[in-house]
């Protein structure tokens, strides 16, 4: 069972930052989940929220700032006492600094069709440029994104992000030819996991920060755990 760092190592370092990803590498974990957004100047950046309000001292939507402007912000403000400024990074910088990557889940949040198409194009280009191949998984709870990726780059692995009460997650995975079911761990049970795997799906459970829950999921055969607390689960 693999351990996947959630937004890097969200419980142990500033989320979705170069420092957080470096922390994960220092633990010897080279499987990561992160969030992808589009900046005002058409660059892929790593941030979970639609706005910069929560993680920086600035305000406004991510799409209202250029990548250079985002790089001037400090995304470590909500993680005191972190010793360094951690700018909102370009996605390409994260990938370029991590040649040891074994798997990376690029989560794409809901957005307009135009934005999703552009993100799909840029992600496909990045995956090809860095020869990520089977190490790359594009995940989303937005079925429009999964459909766009299926048409644009069917060779790139996809994963459906299923919330706790999402209806028919296995059917959604099959309809979009997904390889991964990325599921809220409260939704997992001894029936769902083997059913998914029998359909050829890898089951990645999020967000698992509790030892007992991790052991239970391991017993059920979950393929990977996405965690804020990789040190604890190690």
């Amino acid at each position: 069972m693999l351990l996947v760092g959630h937004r890097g190592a969200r419980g142990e370092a500033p989320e979705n930052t170069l420092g957080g990803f470096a922390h994960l590498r220092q633990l010897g974990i080279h499987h990561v989940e992160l969030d992808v957004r589009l900046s005002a100047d058409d660059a892929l950046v790593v941030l979970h929220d639609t706005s910069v309000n929560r993680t920086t001292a600035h305000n406004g939507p991510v799409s209202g700032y250029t990548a250079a402007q985002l790089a001037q912000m400090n995304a470590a403000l909500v993680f005191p006492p972190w010793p360094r400024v951690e700018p909102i990074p370009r996605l390409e910088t994260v990938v370029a600094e991590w040649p040891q990557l074994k798997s990376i889940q690029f989560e794409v949040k809901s957005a307009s069709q135009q934005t999703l198409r552009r993100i799909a194009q840029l992600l496909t280009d990045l995956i090809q440029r860095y020869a990520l191949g089977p190490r790359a998984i594009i995940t989303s709870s937005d079925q429009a994104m999964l459909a766009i990726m299926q048409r644009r780059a069917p060779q790139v692995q996809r994963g459906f992000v299923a919330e706790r009460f999402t209806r028919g997650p296995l059917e959604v995975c099959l309809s979009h030819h997904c390889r991964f079911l990325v599921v809220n761990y409260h939704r997992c049970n001894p029936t769902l996991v083997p059913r998914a795997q029998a359909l050829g799906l890898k089951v990645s459970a999020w967000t698992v920060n509790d030892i007992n829950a991790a052991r239970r999921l391991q017993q059920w055969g979950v393929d990977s755990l996405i965690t804020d607390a990789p040190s604890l689960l190690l």
Side-chain angles (χ1 to χ4, degrees):
M1 186 176 64
L2 301 176
L3 291 183
V4 179
H6 183 226
R7 307 183 201 172
R10 187 186 179 207
E12 300 174 5
E15 65 180 73
N16 283 329
T17 64
L18 296 178
F21 300 130
H23 173 76
L24 199 62
R25 289 196 294 273
Q26 288 168 2
L27 295 174
I29 297 176
H30 299 289
H31 303 272
V32 69
E33 182 272 353
L34 50 75
D35 302 286
V36 179
R37 295 282 183 184
L38 193 64
S39 68
D41 57 337
D42 212 33
L44 294 178
V45 295
V46 185
L47 192 74
H48 176 271
D49 300 356
T50 57
S51 78
V52 300
N53 300 16
R54 178 175 62 87
T55 57
T56 78
H58 296 74
N59 291 285
V62 182
S63 58
Y65 293 96
T66 66
Q69 290 171 326
L70 294 167
Q72 298 301 311
M73 300 179 187
N74 182 12
L77 285 181
V78 293
F79 202 94
W82 192 254
R84 297 180 302 278
V85 170
E86 295 288 352
I88 296 172
R90 288 176 177 263
L91 179 60
E92 184 159 5
T93 303
V94 175
V95 174
E97 290 189 356
W98 206 338
Q100 313 97 316
L101 263 175
K102 295 180 180 178
S103 74
I104 180 167
Q105 294 186 20
F106 302 103
E107 183 171 354
V108 181
K109 303 295 186 182
S110 294
S112 69
Q113 286 279 330
Q114 180 180 356
T115 297
L116 292 178
R117 285 194 293 270
R118 184 57 178 155
I119 291 174
Q121 178 183 348
L122 293 171
L123 276 174
T124 302
D125 293 345
L126 182 141
I127 289 166
Q128 292 174 343
R129 188 159 62 251
Y130 286 90
L132 293 174
R135 295 180 290 166
I137 310 110
I138 295 179
T139 70
S140 187
S141 60
D142 191 326
Q143 294 187 51
M145 181 63 189
L146 299 176
I148 289 167
M149 282 305 306
Q150 185 180 345
R151 293 192 298 269
R152 171 173 286 280
Q155 76 281 4
V156 176
Q157 297 182 105
R158 294 173 299 284
F160 176 56
V161 179
E163 302 282 352
R164 188 170 183 177
F165 300 107
T166 300
R167 296 182 63 182
L170 299 184
E171 291 74 14
V172 173
C173 285
L174 293 177
S175 68
H176 295 290
H177 301 276
C178 292
R179 294 291 305 279
F180 285 77
L181 171 61
V182 186
V183 62
N184 184 302
Y185 87 89
H186 293 288
R187 182 71 180 271
C188 287
N189 57 60
T191 302
L192 177 68
V193 175
R195 279 185 61 208
Q197 292 168 334
L199 295 171
L201 296 167
K202 298 283 188 181
V203 180
S204 192
W206 57 272
T207 303
V208 185
N209 300 325
D210 175 77
I211 292 289
N212 291 329
R215 287 175 174 153
R216 185 167 63 250
L217 292 161
Q218 186 176 37
Q219 290 172 354
W220 294 342
V222 165
D223 296 285
S224 59
L225 301 182
I226 301 174
T227 181
D228 293 330
S231 296
L232 174 69
L233 294 198
L234 279 175

